[in-house]
Amino acid sequence: MKTKGNVRMKKSIATLATISKIALGLAALLALPLAGCGKKADSNEILIGEYGALTGSIASFGQSTHKGITLAIEEINASGGVLGKKIRLVTEDDQGKPEEALTAVTKLISKDRVSALLGEFASSNSLAAAPMAQSSGIPMVSHGSTNPKVTQVGDYIFRVCFIDPFQGQVMAKFAHNSLKLGHVAILRDVKSDYSVGLADYFTQNFVAAGGAIAGDESYSAGDKDFNAQLTSLIAKKPEALFIPGYYTEVGLIARQARRLGFTGALLGGDGWDSEKLWEIGGDALNNGYFSNHYSVDNPAPEIRAFVEKFKAHNQGEAPDALAALGYDATRVLVDAIRRAGSDKPSAIRDALAQTKDFPGITGNITLNAQRDAVKSAVVLEVKDGKFLYKETVAP
Amino acid sequence: MTVFLQQLLNGLSLGSIYALVALGYTMVYGVLRLINFAHGDVYMLGAFAGYYTSRLLHGHLGAAGGGLVEAGIILMVSMVACAGVGMLIERLAYRPVRRASRLTILIVAIGVSLLIENVAQMVFGAEPKFFPQIIPEKRFDWAGVVFTNQQILVLATAVVLMIGLTLFIRRTRTGKAMRAVAHNPDAARLMGVNVNFIISLTFAIGSALAAAGGILVSLNQPGIDPLMGLMTGIKAFVAAVLGGIGSIPGAVLGGLLLGMAETFVAGYGSSTYRDAIAFLILIVILLLKPAGLLGKGQVEKV
């Protein structure tokens, strides 16, 4: 018995040893590529991480943003970089999905060891990634997430755009004062923090201004058939539909609403801003209005200069608001690095918080105590495939 | 009353889409007792085949026959291409595991589905594409109730295919061979039926149906993307089960019922809980009639 026990013991020790050898080998294997990839910025580079929807149903947002960011970085590097170092951009695709956004940011922070983060546009994606940036102490600048909750995650999270309470107010005022509407129905995307928030702020402001909400229905991003909701909304005879969604669904909703005989105005927010909107919705979008961060038609000389530079870099493609915001966010971040005099994340954070009157393409950017930008918004009209400037609304 | 009729029509229109896709599910299941989870993805491939064909054709045909000529060519190309894809899937993925346990086959089916979705995202790109309006939309307004020629086309196709398939399976020699294979593949082989050929053919027909569905649906709702088959596939599968999987009229009935359940829940109840309530109704129906509405009650080992 004893010997048997001993043998068994020896065997199990041998097994243990083998297992630990294998484990060690595996660890070494894993560590090798990590060490290789974790190429910590060599001393004359500053790494900035970008995460965004380069593919997926909101890919147009990520693509435009990326072009804006790249343009800004090229310009900065061409003029000698910052603190005597070049900026290197590391880009990760999150396919427009919150869970992928978190993965992307985790990778940028732990593997690439970036000094700061740029992104995202969709509020749900920023909200998914922000806690990671906050807990790792890496400053994150969102260029276009307008939901208030994004910067409430913590003191490392900033944005260079206005927030939805303001955007909701802009469209409510525009609907009530400029279009003289009294009854508006709402169709919101329940899956999106942005859409739900914006619908609520619109409702508050529109009702406060003396208007009435005729109906409030919802859909989920990815739906293709909206006839049921539209039929019941149109039956309530609203003068306009407020659709605070993203362009893919908005295009289909516009089509189906017009098919069902709706002729009133269609209203929305900055989620409409994409060339794809017209491609999908077509004529149905005429008599549509949405709030946005900037207008490409703005005659101000600095905006004309930006538009020309952007076109020269992108085969004549005009920059949309996302491109302008991406450009601004990058320059605000680099300006903070310059003022911080260091690429240490905590120093960048402190400098970012001091951002005041930065002359951006989308307006003068001052970050308030909530780390949000206070800026004016524009209202654009959709007409025959063009977004025409209607009016500017100051905060 | 107008609103009610409009919702009824919306439901029929949505349901006919599910019905069209459900036909393919039910047909493959009827012969092979296999739930082909890749069916929804073949539906997506059909829409993309149509998209690229129409881009190739664009401008070469003009508006001959009100776009019907172009639509016909696109439909043919896409159906043939998808029939090929269906046969390929069967040959490469399902045939090697045909005699394995049901669970193995089920996992293979899910794997094929994920493979197609991800390869499609790489090849086509994940951003949505706009499906061209090959058949110009005509809108009919009948006392306030609105419908379009495209919606009628989808519904009519689903019904015509349902009748055609039923006749094919009941009346033709090949149909008889299919039923024989469904009943007992070994006995069918002993009787001289080429079982492999029949199974390949079943997949070809099922996949061609999915392709037709993909194109007709994209005409109606012109945003297509590589994941469009996911939800439609699940809903169509549920429709097939609801109607009694394996039963061809059942697939159409199940599709229409599901479409109407969703539409009425969204239109008169809460659009937020549309899917939840619609599926709850289905669970209740299946509790009362486990074999589905038109299914034959038989004990099935899954």
Side-chain angles (χ1 to χ4, degrees), chain B residues 3 55 57 69 72 80 96 112 127-128 142 157 184 212 219 222 236 250 261 294:
Chain B
V3 174
R55 293 233 322 220
L57 286 178
V69 178
V80 170
V112 170
E127 69 278 9
W142 181 59
T157 312
N184 187 335
L219 276 177
L294 301 182

Side-chain angles (χ1 to χ4, degrees), chain B residues 170-188:
Chain B
R170 294 255 169 87
R171 297 284 162 83
T172 63
R173 269 182 77 86
T174 324
K176 200 177 202 174
M178 272 183 182
R179 280 182 290 143
V181 172
H183 200 71
N184 187 335
D186 292 323

Side-chain angles (χ1 to χ4, degrees), chain A residues 217-218 224 228 231 259 261, chain B residues 7 10 137 139 146 223 271-272:
Chain A
E217 297 283 344
S218 57
K224 293 212 154 54
T231 300
R259 188 191 284 162
Chain B
Q7 294 291 28
N10 293 341
E137 181 182 292
R139 198 169 152 269
V146 181
S271 41
T272 311

Side-chain angles (χ1 to χ4, degrees), chain A residues 267-328:
Chain A
L267 311 172
D270 56 337
W272 284 31
D273 187 23
S274 163
E275 281 187 357
K276 290 257 170 197
L277 177 72
W278 183 262
E279 200 181 314
I280 295 172
D283 293 342
L285 288 156
N286 280 333
N287 197 15
Y289 302 88
F290 66 100
S291 50
N292 206 355
H293 303 268
Y294 110 124
S295 160
V296 71
D297 299 327
N298 193 319
E302 62 275 16
I303 295 184
R304 303 273 31 102
F306 165 72
V307 171
E308 289 317 313
K309 267 187 302 195
F310 189 91
K311 281 183 174 172
H313 271 77
N314 295 290
Q315 291 90 39
E317 182 190 323
D320 55 16
L322 281 302
L325 286 169
Y327 183 80
D328 277 357

Side-chain angles (χ1 to χ4, degrees), chain A residues 2 35-36 39 60 73 87 91 100 120 127 149 156 213 236 273 328-329 349 358:
Chain A
K2 211 180 169 192
K39 198 164 71 175
S60 142
I73 290 182
I87 305 267
T91 307
E100 295 288 336
E120 231 265 31
L127 277 167
K149 284 185 280 181
Y156 273 77
I213 301 296
K236 290 168 183 154
D273 187 23
D328 277 357
R349 190 224 83 86
F358 182 87

